[in-house]
Amino acid sequence: MPLRCLTLVAVCVVFISTEAVLVEDVKKAVGETVSFRPAKFDPPVTSIVWKHRNSNEIVFKAIEWDFEDGLLIPNQRFKDITTLDEKTGEITITKLRIEHSGVYTIDINSKEQEQIFSLTVTGEDVKKAVGETVSFRPAKLDPPVTSITWKHRSNPAVKVIEWDFEDGLLIPNQRFKDITTLDEKTGEITITNLSVEHSGLYSIDVNRKEQGQIFSLTVTGGDVKKAVGGTVSFRPAKLDPPITSITWKHKTNPAVKVIEWDFEDGFLIPNQRFKDITFLDEKTGEITITNLRIEHSGVYTIDINSKEQEQIFILEVMERVPKPKITIEESSNPDVVYLRCEYSGTIIWKNSAGETLKGTNHTPGEYITAKNTRHPENFYTCTLKNAVSEETSDPVYERDLFKE
């Protein structure tokens, strides 16, 4: 009997140990970096797909690699911050945000592995526009408090504002002067008239000891996506009279003047690419550009009374998605066909019941497997989508897929 108990305990220990290997629970702060590596990676490996399941149980592909087609990052929230080592299967995500929290799994050679990685990203993730105001407050401030220091984790890190019981307030860094205040009773920092350079991670030291709380701030101008042929308008945050001149510039290489107005001389459009499509309201400073083209993408700034303002506007002009066409590929099974939709972006498959179907990657695009249900009026559609447009294919009916 004791032997049986020992054997049972051993099995339980192995089981617990196996679970510990299969489930990895990681906590990171906003702005930090995380890496996940599969426990086993047996060659030959011809494909790798990392998937992210968020709190709403929606699954996204984070990054994928195929021996023939190379690397692809299908989801916008992972672009420019995600890398994959195809030799080890390790994924690395930098500049983490709250939305990166969730469960990560890996498919190797189209087979989902048992290993699960759970990521929790903590901290405040704040987005503001140029010219706005932000405040950060520590979760707790236990007295007695004799010193408070807020730091901006730029490269290198700088002190933003500090307070000492004996010496009072000090703002060591020039970029925060005249716009930063601190409430020493609550520890709350407030920064007004934000500019893009204020983006980054902020942390607080209380009584010379760094607290665990991290705050992430992203300051952007008007970040706008528009379709080719569309119209965009940008307006400055403030326009304090008297106004004697306004100049909008497109920061290409080199930068060009888009449109300018002068109290004495009126309007002028110096650059050919903006002629006949650009308008300026001199009372509000608002610029409007119609009939947009790809070449209008970029950063726009405004000079008021010959002084460049801090506010920036980012425009991305994108082609509309084409109307997709579903192609049909037969299989060796007369009751099964493959439906393909070719596109390098977001693809949404649906059936006649309105259900969203999971597609399988086929660069460029996806395919689904359609089975003969003996309901000829059943159909399938493929929808292509990007940030500015959406198009759906003509339906493909089961009656046309399977001939009786």
Side-chain angles (χ1 to χ4, degrees):
M1 187 68 174
L3 181 59
R4 291 180 181 175
C5 287
L6 287 172
T7 304
L8 179 59
V9 170
V11 171
C12 288
V13 170
V14 170
F15 177 74
I16 292 170
S17 175
T18 303
E19 284 298 299
V21 170
L22 292 178
V23 181
E24 186 174 329
D25 194 358
V26 178
K27 289 181 172 61
K28 291 285 184 178
V30 165
E32 290 188 331
T33 296
V34 70
S35 294
F36 298 130
R37 179 184 288 200
K40 58 180 181 178
F41 199 71
D42 301 328
V45 175
T46 57
S47 68
I48 304 169
V49 179
W50 278 95
K51 293 180 290 187
H52 174 225
R53 183 185 298 274
N54 66 13
S55 58
N56 295 321
E57 296 299 313
I58 298 174
V59 177
F60 304 93
K61 289 179 181 178
I63 193 169
E64 53 188 329
W65 169 82
D66 182 272
F67 179 76
E68 294 183 355
D69 302 318
L71 282 170
L72 178 66
I73 301 178
N75 192 270
Q76 189 65 36
R77 72 187 61 182
F78 293 97
K79 284 191 183 299
D80 303 323
I81 60 170
T82 308
T83 56
L84 174 68
D85 185 338
E86 65 270 20
K87 296 178 181 177
T88 64
E90 183 177 63
I91 185 178
T92 298
I93 308 169
T94 63
K95 298 180 182 178
L96 287 168
R97 303 187 298 272
I98 301 293
E99 64 183 5
H100 294 130
S101 298
V103 172
Y104 290 78
T105 57
I106 182 174
D107 292 5
I108 299 175
N109 296 343
S110 301
K111 181 179 179 183
E112 186 168 271
Q113 308 300 294
E114 293 181 344
Q115 202 171 4
I116 294 173
F117 302 86
S118 176
L119 174 63
T120 304
V121 183
T122 60
E124 275 194 52
D125 193 358
V126 179
K127 292 180 174 60
K128 291 286 184 177
V130 168
E132 290 189 332
T133 297
V134 71
S135 294
F136 297 128
R137 180 184 289 198
K140 59 180 181 178
L141 201 68
D142 299 328
V145 176
T146 58
S147 69
I148 300 171
T149 302
W150 278 94
K151 291 182 291 188
H152 180 221
R153 294 189 173 188
S154 50
N155 190 12
V158 297
K159 290 180 180 179
V160 176
I161 192 169
E162 49 187 337
W163 169 83
D164 182 271
F165 180 73
E166 294 184 356
D167 302 322
L169 284 171
L170 177 66
I171 301 177
N173 193 271
Q174 190 64 35
R175 79 183 68 167
F176 294 96
K177 285 192 182 297
D178 303 324
I179 60 171
T180 307
T181 56
L182 174 68
D183 185 336
E184 65 270 19
K185 296 178 182 177
T186 63
E188 183 177 65
I189 186 178
T190 298
I191 308 171
T192 62
N193 196 24
L194 288 168
S195 61
V196 173
E197 67 181 356
H198 295 129
S199 298
L201 300 180
Y202 290 78
S203 61
I204 181 174
D205 292 4
V206 178
N207 297 342
R208 314 297 178 193
K209 183 179 180 181
E210 185 169 271
Q211 310 300 293
Q213 212 169 354
I214 300 288
F215 303 85
S216 174
L217 173 64
T218 304
V219 184
T220 63
D223 192 353
V224 178
K225 292 181 172 62
K226 291 288 184 177
V228 169
T231 298
V232 70
S233 295
F234 297 130
R235 179 185 291 199
K238 59 180 181 178
L239 201 69
D240 300 327
I243 304 299
T244 57
S245 68
I246 300 171
T247 302
W248 279 94
K249 292 181 289 187
H250 184 213
K251 297 242 174 163
T252 52
N253 191 12
V256 298
K257 291 180 179 180
V258 177
I259 191 169
E260 49 188 336
W261 169 83
D262 182 273
F263 179 75
E264 294 184 355
D265 301 323
F267 290 97
L268 177 66
I269 300 178
N271 193 273
Q272 191 62 36
R273 78 183 67 165
F274 294 96
K275 285 193 183 294
D276 303 322
I277 60 170
T278 308
F279 309 92
L280 175 66
D281 184 336
E282 70 274 19
K283 296 178 183 177
T284 64
E286 183 177 66
I287 186 178
T288 298
I289 308 170
T290 64
N291 197 24
L292 288 167
R293 303 187 299 273
I294 299 293
E295 64 185 9
H296 293 132
S297 297
V299 174
Y300 290 78
T301 60
I302 182 174
D303 292 5
I304 298 175
N305 296 344
S306 301
K307 183 180 179 181
E308 184 169 274
Q309 308 300 293
E310 290 184 340
Q311 200 172 6
I312 67 171
F313 303 85
I314 303 169
L315 172 64
E316 183 180 358
V317 183
M318 306 172 65
E319 296 283 0
R320 296 178 182 274
V321 296
K323 182 174 180 176
K325 181 179 180 181
I326 297 176
T327 58
I328 305 165
E329 184 177 314
E330 296 180 353
S331 73
S332 57
N333 185 339
D335 286 329
V336 172
V337 296
Y338 301 109
L339 305 182
R340 297 188 186 277
C341 200
E342 294 190 0
Y343 185 59
S344 59
T346 300
I347 298 175
I348 303 167
W349 290 97
K350 288 196 174 183
N351 61 19
S352 47
E355 299 169 326
T356 300
L357 308 175
K358 182 179 179 181
T360 301
N361 182 58
H362 179 266
T363 306
E366 291 181 351
Y367 72 86
I368 59 171
T369 302
K371 298 180 180 179
N372 190 355
T373 65
R374 271 66 181 181
H375 292 89
E377 296 308 309
N378 285 353
F379 63 82
Y380 302 89
T381 61
C382 164
T383 298
L384 308 184
K385 187 176 182 180
N386 66 11
V388 298
S389 63
E390 182 176 319
E391 290 286 347
T392 300
S393 69
D394 293 330
V396 173
Y397 287 88
E398 191 172 302
R399 64 171 179 261
D400 299 318
L401 298 175
F402 305 102
K403 303 298 183 182
E404 294 299 334

